[in-house]
């Protein structure tokens, strides 16, 4: 189980995360929902070790990750929000680089990379540098890079942006099967539909704090108000009709 | 009476403001402005680094102005001597060489500048994708790109010529009343601007042919290599330009090989405008005009072809087979650590494909070749210059490889190195950097200088080569001093130190290194035993330093964000 205990992050005077607690159990996909600027990406960056928290800690299977951050990093796979990768490399070269950095043998890479590219429909473009790839193609490369080393925990930051319908369906199924294999997924997004279809639980973040935490079964069985309603109430979102009207007015010549 | 000008001026000002507003609000102007600004944006600097880069740019302009004054001061002494000699023929000969230099210097500068922005010379795929869906006609995009290019190169052309005007006025003065200063200045301005335009067009033609001939991905590496080759050639031209003042004699004798020196063509053009009837100079002018027209035709043709087939050229399908140099490539040995192989492969792929990184590597290394050329063509004995050349090259290669590896390629993509950083394998990752640096700072100077050493000292060149390689092993430590980055993954802040300070320190370090190292080579060549002792000592020192470095790398975390020195500037002399 992954646990965040009192996770806090300050940037100068700005408090991006304020004593955030959550946990992801094995076999679970945890939805991490929040409006822009709520602290989702800060949480994700802290969880994958790109930034250090100002206070609080992360625990994996009962041990603080600060004790052995390298061992922890070996067990996670990460798909960032924007497909930032080295576009002067081909997909094969990039996956080889990632595999080598993670210490995988040449034999393993020679088997896994071609198979992964074929399954992700990137095989035809294998000789082109990724500069020529669309956003969706780059996102698929990032998925492949995150999965190749068989991680325990998958951290996804808006992973479906840019993916076409087929790829989205494929990855949804893949994530379900991945989690079912006694592994964990932290799924940060602002899309309700994805959370409703994929996640077992959802944590709603607002202004750097946990605003709500719900079991998704209750929504699916109709025992609770909709996720959108919970989100609107807990994050203090207003009725957007006046703003929408103002925009339409502005459009007039 | 006092009110009248106000009454007259008011509508004029409004008209001008109105015209200005209408002009600047046009899509074409907006696009031109955007393309012009993009020429100053190298794409790899973050906001902090961009500010720092501006300081470097201002410092460089200051340096350029100072160089102009220094040149004028040096020529004052030369011309005072010529005027006092009473020999008008000598003055005329010197003037031919100096005029050629004054034309050649801006040519070289604008060629450099054009090559640096060569990525922006033609509308590219990004322009196609972003501007394609906008309600802007393609002709407007092309016109804006051309106008931005003209503005950018025009800026540098104007600055280069303005800084040379005092020198031109100085060289025009003479006690024999040989020239009309105004006519001379005007003809120089026309000829020299034409020469600079020729330099711009030549670079544009080369880039244009590359854009049309090479597909987006397959031959990207070849395109990069060709650009770097042009850059290297331009740097090597620097010492040749410094020899131009000595070519007054061959020019006045009308020697035929002068037709191979481009500034001579435009000097012929200048003299033709001044009314010269010299046949050799007229011939040079004709050659220059012919070549100018050919290059201009190539550039026009490239723009027209690109304009007509923009979609087809920009949206070429991705290659379906590997390039020929990768077919049947043998698999790598499996005993090497994967992390070493990962960083090594990434470094080589980036140096092969990135214009910027390869350009920095080749350009700075070519400075060493340029310096070596100056020494080799000087009147100093070959046996002395041959022992200096390897170390000039080594120093330049060291600076070049460090600078190239320090520049980021896609800074935001470095998260993959951050999330996989592991103290247990860091040594292997950094060993890959160590290998690249060692191969470059030892390999290039040894291969390039052994033939020169052979010509100078015969068979002893082999022993000298071994000593040079051993010195390289020690020098690599200086190149990698304080280094704790995976190549191309750390942000970069240019101008961390005052540019003058860096230049003085660099010059002093180069001088010290060259003097000590060439001294060591000469001592080693006294006897074979002495040579072997020195080599052994250097190898031991080099090995010890390398081991120390690898141990230190294992302990120190990698650096992903560049930092300004947190202490006040100290000269550290």
């Amino acid at each position: 189980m992954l646990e965040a205990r009192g996770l806090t992050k300050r940037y100068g005077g700005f408090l991006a995360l304020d004593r955030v607690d959550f946990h992801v159990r094995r076999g679970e996909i945890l939805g991490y929902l929040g409006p822009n600027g709520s602290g989702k990406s800060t949480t994700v960056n802290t969880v994958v070790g790109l930034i250090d928290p100002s206070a609080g800690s992360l625990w994996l299977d009962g041990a603080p990750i600060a004790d052995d951050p390298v061992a922890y990093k070996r067990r996670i796979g990460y798909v960032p929000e924007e497909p930032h990768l080295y576009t002067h490399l081909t997909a094969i070269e990039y996956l080889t680089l990632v595999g080598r950095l993670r210490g995988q043998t040449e034999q393993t890479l020679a088997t896994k990379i071609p198979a992964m590219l074929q399954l992700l429909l990137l095989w035809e473009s294998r000789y082109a540098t990724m500069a020529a790839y669309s956003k969706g193609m780059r996102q698929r490369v990032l998925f492949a890079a995150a999965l190749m080393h068989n991680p325990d925990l998958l951290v996804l930051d808006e992973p479906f942006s840019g993916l076409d319908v087929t790829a989205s369906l494929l990855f949804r199924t893949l994530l379900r099967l991945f989690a079912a294999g006694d592994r964990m997924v932290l799924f940060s997004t602002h899309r309700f539909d994805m959370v409703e279809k994929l996640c077992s639980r959802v944590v709603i973040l607002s202004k750097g704090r946990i605003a709500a935490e719900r079991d998704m079964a209750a929504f699916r069985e109709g025992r609770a108000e909709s996720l959108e309603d919970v989100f609107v109430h807990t994050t203090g979102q207003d009725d957007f009709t006046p703003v929408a009207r103002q925009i339409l007015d502005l459009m007039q010549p | 009476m006092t009110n009248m000008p106000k009454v007259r001026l008011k509508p004029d000002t409004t008209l001008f403001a109105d015209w200005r507003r209408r002009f600047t609000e046009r899509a074409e102007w907006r696009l031109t402005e955007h393309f012009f600004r993009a020429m100053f944006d190298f794409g790899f600097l973050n906001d902090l680094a961009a500010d720092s880069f501006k300081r470097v740019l201002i410092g460089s302009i200051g340096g350029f102005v100072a160089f102009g004054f220094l040149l004028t001061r040096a020529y004052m002494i030369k011309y005072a001597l010529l005027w006092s000699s009473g020999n008008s023929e000598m003055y005329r000969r010197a003037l031919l060489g100096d005029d050629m230099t004054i034309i050649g210097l801006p040519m070289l500068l604008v060629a450099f500048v054009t090559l640096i922005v060569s990525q922006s010379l033609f509308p590219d795929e990004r322009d196609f994708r972003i501007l394609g869906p906008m309600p802007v006609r393609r002709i407007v995009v092309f016109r804006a790109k051309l106008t931005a290019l003209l503005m950018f190169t025009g800026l540098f052309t104007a600055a280069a010529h303005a800084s040379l005007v005092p020198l031109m006025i100085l060289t025009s003065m003479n006690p024999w009343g040989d020239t009309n200063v105004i006519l001379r200045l005007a003809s120089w301005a026309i000829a020299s601007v034409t020469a600079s335009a020729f330099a711009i067009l030549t670079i544009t033609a080369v880039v244009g042919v590359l854009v049309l001939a090479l597909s987006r991905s397959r031959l990207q590496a070849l395109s990069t290599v060709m650009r770097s080759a042009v850059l290297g050639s331009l740097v090597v031209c620097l010492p040749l330009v410094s020899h131009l003042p000595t070519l007054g004699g061959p020019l006045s004798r009308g020697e035929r090989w002068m037709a191979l020196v481009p500034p001579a063509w435009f000097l012929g053009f200048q003299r033709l405008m001044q009314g010269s009837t010299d046949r050799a100079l007229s011939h040079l002018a004709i050659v220059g005009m012919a070549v100018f027209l050919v290059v201009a035709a190539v550039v026009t043709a490239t723009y027209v072809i690109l304009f007509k087939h923009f979609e087809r050229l920009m949206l070429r399908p991705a290659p379906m087979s590997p390039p020929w140099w990768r077919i049947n490539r043998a698999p790598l040995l499996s005993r090497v650590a994967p992390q070493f192989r990962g960083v090594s492969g990434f470094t080589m792929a980036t140096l092969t494909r990135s214009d910027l990184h390869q350009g920095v590597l080749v350009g700075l290394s070519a400075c060493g070749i340029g310096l070596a050329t100056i020494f080799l063509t000087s009147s100093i004995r070959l046996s002395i210059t041959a022992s200096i050349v390897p170390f000039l090259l080594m120093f330049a290669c060291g600076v070049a490889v460090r600078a190239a590896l320090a520049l980021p390629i896609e800074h935001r993509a470095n998260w993959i190195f951050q999330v996989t950083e592991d103290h247990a394998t860091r040594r292997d990752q950094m060993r890959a950097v160590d290998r690249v640096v060692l191969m470059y700072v030892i390999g290039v100077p040894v291969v390039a200088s052994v033939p020169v050493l052979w010509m100078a000292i015969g068979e002893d060149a082999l022993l000298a080569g071994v000593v040079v390689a051993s010195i390289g092993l020690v020098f690599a430590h200086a190149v990698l001093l304080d280094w704790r980055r995976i190549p191309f993954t750390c942000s970069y802040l240019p101008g961390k130190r005052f540019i003058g300070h860096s230049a003085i320190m660099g010059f002093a370090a180069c001088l010290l290194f060259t003097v000590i190292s060439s001294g060591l080579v000469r001592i080693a060549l006294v006897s074979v035993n002495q040579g072997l002792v020195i080599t052994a000592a250097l190898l031991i020192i080099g090995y010890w330093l390398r081991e120390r470095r690898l141990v230190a790398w294992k302990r120190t975390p990698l650096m992903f964000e560049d930092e300004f020195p947190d202490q006040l500037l100290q000269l550290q002399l």
Side-chain angles (χ1 to χ4, degrees):
Chain A
M1 183 166 75
L2 174 79
E3 289 172 88
R5 297 181 186 172
L7 219 52
T8 304
K9 182 68 189 173
R10 281 179 190 282
Y11 293 106
F14 175 69
L15 190 61
L17 280 183
D18 187 8
R19 288 161 292 161
V20 166
D21 296 297
F22 65 86
H23 60 270
V24 192
R25 293 185 208 103
R26 287 194 173 270
E28 183 180 66
I29 302 176
L30 177 72
Y32 202 66
L33 202 61
N36 289 336
S38 59
K40 291 195 305 292
S41 289
T42 306
T43 311
V44 167
N45 286 338
T46 313
V47 170
V48 297
L50 287 174
I51 53 175
D52 291 324
S54 311
S57 58
L58 283 163
W59 296 63
L60 185 67
D61 295 335
I65 67 161
D67 285 359
D68 191 353
V70 172
Y72 165 74
K73 279 181 182 178
R74 284 191 201 121
R75 294 169 64 183
I76 60 172
Y78 169 50
V79 179
E81 182 179 5
E82 288 295 324
H84 294 307
L85 29 70
Y86 294 104
T87 51
H88 63 294
L89 303 180
T90 63
I92 294 182
E93 287 167 341
Y94 185 75
L95 293 177
T96 308
L97 168 69
V98 176
R100 284 171 175 171
L101 290 176
R102 292 198 181 276
Q104 291 183 285
T105 64
E106 293 300 303
Q107 235 174 351
T108 314
L109 294 175
T111 319
K112 278 192 179 179
I113 293 173
M116 197 67 105
L117 290 182
Q118 274 165 358
L119 289 168
L120 294 175
L121 308 175
L122 292 166
W123 186 245
E124 296 293 307
S125 319
R126 65 192 180 282
Y127 296 119
T129 59
M130 290 185 289
Y133 280 20
S134 66
K135 188 180 177 190
M137 288 165 85
R138 291 180 194 183
Q139 205 74 20
R140 278 182 267 162
V141 175
L142 286 172
F143 259 106
L147 294 169
M148 269 201 331
H149 62 293
N150 191 24
D152 255 357
L153 165 67
L154 200 52
V155 182
L156 310 170
D157 194 357
E158 292 293 354
F160 293 103
S161 57
L163 286 180
D164 61 15
V165 181
T166 320
S168 292
L169 289 172
L170 166 68
F171 283 119
R172 246 164 55 189
T173 315
L174 176 68
L175 289 180
R176 264 196 221 109
L177 294 174
F178 176 86
D182 205 26
R183 285 180 278 208
M184 301 158 275
V185 179
L186 174 63
F187 180 63
S188 166
T189 184
H190 47 234
R191 284 181 58 181
F192 303 118
D193 58 332
M194 281 293 169
V195 173
E196 279 169 346
K197 282 171 187 151
L198 256 178
C199 300
S200 351
R201 272 188 315 120
V202 62
V203 165
I204 298 173
L205 200 68
S206 175
K207 294 171 188 161
R209 286 183 169 197
I210 301 281
E213 190 176 340
R214 298 279 193 280
D215 203 324
M216 290 306 295
F219 294 114
R220 288 194 195 108
E221 289 158 15
R223 283 186 281 116
E225 53 183 340
S226 75
L227 179 59
E228 190 175 328
D229 290 338
V230 174
F231 182 83
V232 168
H233 293 150
T234 52
T235 57
Q237 307 286 319
D238 297 324
D239 177 9
F240 291 106
T241 315
V243 181
R245 283 200 195 289
Q246 280 178 35
I247 294 170
L248 285 173
D249 288 345
L250 269 177
M251 284 164 61
Q252 302 304 317
Chain B
M1 283 291 281
T2 48
N3 286 339
M4 277 180 70
K6 281 182 192 168
V7 175
R8 272 185 196 167
L9 276 173
K10 204 173 176 182
D12 288 346
T13 312
T14 315
L15 263 178
F16 176 72
D18 188 43
W19 173 84
R20 194 168 156 263
R21 188 177 49 79
R22 270 190 289 142
F23 180 74
T24 53
E25 278 178 4
R26 283 170 57 206
E28 190 163 346
W29 173 251
R30 296 271 187 221
L31 268 179
T32 307
E33 205 180 8
H34 163 75
F35 287 141
F36 181 72
R37 284 191 181 160
M39 285 178 173
F40 292 92
D41 178 14
F42 291 92
F44 65 94
L45 300 173
N46 56 25
D47 290 346
L48 189 63
D51 282 345
S52 185
F53 180 67
K54 278 177 203 156
R55 284 198 295 276
V56 173
L57 213 61
I58 292 165
S60 311
I61 292 167
F64 190 67
V65 171
F67 174 73
F69 281 121
L70 194 73
L71 206 65
T72 312
R73 183 78 188 90
Y75 271 76
M76 265 179 174
I77 302 165
K78 178 181 173 180
Y79 275 78
L81 286 170
L82 281 170
W83 296 328
S84 61
S85 73
N87 184 342
S88 64
E89 203 43 50
M90 209 179 346
Y91 164 75
R92 284 181 203 119
R93 256 204 319 271
L95 198 61
L96 274 174
D98 292 337
D99 277 358
M100 202 154 58
T101 312
I102 298 171
I103 290 171
L105 277 174
M107 274 178 89
L108 197 61
L109 177 82
V110 294
F112 266 125
V113 167
T114 314
L115 192 65
I116 287 169
V117 296
S118 60
Q119 296 287 13
S120 311
L121 295 181
F122 292 89
D124 57 15
E125 193 189 342
R126 195 168 53 162
D127 298 327
F128 173 76
R129 288 192 187 279
I130 295 172
L131 297 172
M134 301 252 185
V136 183
R137 287 191 305 149
R138 193 187 299 167
I139 187 83
V140 174
V141 177
F142 272 72
R143 271 207 311 252
K145 198 87 182 181
L146 269 173
T147 315
L149 175 64
L150 278 176
M151 282 164 63
F152 185 79
T153 50
L155 189 76
F156 282 90
T157 309
H161 284 86
S163 68
L164 290 170
V165 166
L167 184 59
M168 202 59 199
I169 293 170
L170 171 80
T171 55
S172 302
M173 291 189 287
N174 65 86
W176 301 281
D178 256 11
T179 47
N180 174 337
V181 177
I182 303 292
L183 177 64
R184 198 173 119 75
L185 272 178
S187 57
W188 164 73
I190 295 169
S192 188
V193 168
T194 313
S196 298
F198 167 76
I200 295 163
L201 287 173
T202 308
I203 300 292
T204 313
V206 172
V207 176
V209 170
L210 288 176
V211 167
L212 292 185
L214 307 181
S215 77
R216 282 185 300 161
S217 311
R218 169 68 57 78
L219 296 172
Q220 189 194 348
L222 184 59
S223 162
T224 304
V225 168
M226 289 183 76
R227 280 174 215 241
S228 300
V230 176
L231 179 66
S233 317
L234 284 178
V235 175
V236 175
C237 278
L238 267 172
L240 301 180
V241 169
S242 73
H243 279 290
L244 286 179
T246 63
L247 297 183
L251 253 180
S252 60
R253 289 193 294 276
E255 289 183 18
R256 295 182 76 86
W257 64 270
M258 288 307 298
L260 299 171
V261 183
W265 306 335
F266 299 96
L267 175 73
F269 184 44
Q270 180 197 338
R271 291 302 161 97
L272 213 62
M273 281 188 283
Q274 279 180 247
S276 165
T277 51
D278 187 302
R279 278 193 64 193
L281 287 173
S282 307
H283 174 72
L284 286 171
I286 291 166
V287 172
M289 286 304 108
V291 178
F292 183 93
L293 290 174
V294 169
V295 175
V298 172
V299 172
T300 312
T302 359
Y303 265 99
V304 169
I305 294 171
L306 194 63
F307 180 76
K308 285 196 167 172
H309 308 285
F310 200 42
E311 290 94 337
R312 197 149 54 86
L313 288 163
M314 288 300 112
L315 299 177
R316 274 186 273 220
M320 299 294 286
S321 58
W324 57 267
W325 61 86
R326 282 204 216 138
I327 295 171
N328 298 330
R329 202 163 64 172
L332 292 161
L333 289 173
S334 58
R335 254 183 260 164
V336 184
Q339 288 81 2
F340 172 90
R341 209 176 289 161
V343 173
S344 183
F346 175 63
T347 307
M348 295 318 289
T350 308
L351 285 177
T352 317
R353 292 176 205 164
S354 161
D355 285 337
L356 173 75
H357 296 85
Q358 200 180 96
V360 168
L361 185 75
V362 173
L364 289 175
S365 304
C367 288
I369 300 176
L371 281 171
T373 314
I374 291 176
F375 272 90
L376 289 172
T377 53
S378 70
S379 54
I380 307 170
R381 268 212 331 262
L382 186 61
S383 59
I384 297 172
T385 51
S387 67
I388 294 171
V389 163
F391 303 108
L392 288 173
L393 278 176
M394 193 176 280
F395 191 84
C397 287
V399 173
V401 75
R402 186 174 169 117
L405 298 184
L407 290 175
I409 182 147
E410 288 190 24
H411 184 233
R412 285 182 297 181
N414 74 7
W415 61 269
I416 190 65
F417 289 97
Q418 293 186 51
V419 297
T420 53
E421 186 178 356
D422 184 343
H423 57 83
T425 58
R426 199 185 297 129
R427 182 187 158 114
D428 288 318
Q429 292 182 335
M430 297 306 269
R431 216 159 44 78
V433 185
D434 188 70
R435 168 80 64 89
V436 172
V437 170
L438 278 175
M439 279 172 67
Y440 197 71
V441 298
I442 297 176
V444 174
V446 169
V447 169
S449 60
V450 163
V452 180
L453 285 163
W454 192 278
M455 279 193 291
I457 54 176
E459 285 172 6
D460 284 349
L462 294 177
L463 179 61
V466 174
V467 179
V468 169
S470 315
I471 292 172
L473 194 67
V474 179
F475 178 66
H477 184 70
V479 174
L480 289 170
L481 202 67
D482 300 330
W483 183 273
R484 50 190 183 94
R485 310 165 180 209
I486 301 284
F488 325 116
T489 61
C490 184
S491 64
Y492 180 70
L493 294 171
K496 277 185 275 191
R497 287 191 170 82
F498 171 55
I499 197 161
H501 173 247
S502 301
I504 291 168
M505 293 300 288
F507 177 74
C510 181
L511 189 72
L512 202 68
F513 171 68
T514 310
V515 168
I516 294 173
S517 305
S518 59
L520 269 178
V521 171
R522 279 199 291 275
I523 294 168
L525 290 178
V526 171
S527 73
V528 176
N529 284 346
Q530 213 159 307
L532 290 176
V533 169
I534 288 176
T535 307
L538 286 168
L539 287 176
I540 291 167
I541 296 169
Y543 178 77
W544 175 69
L545 287 173
R546 185 166 181 270
E547 284 307 304
R548 246 187 85 209
R549 194 161 66 237
L550 290 173
V551 170
W553 276 337
K554 192 176 176 182
R555 284 198 299 257
T556 327
L558 290 170
M559 186 175 179
F560 291 102
E561 294 296 336
D562 202 1
E563 299 155 347
F564 279 112
D566 54 2
Q567 57 189 47
L568 284 173
L569 180 68
Q570 293 171 1
L571 283 176
Q572 298 168 350
L573 291 172

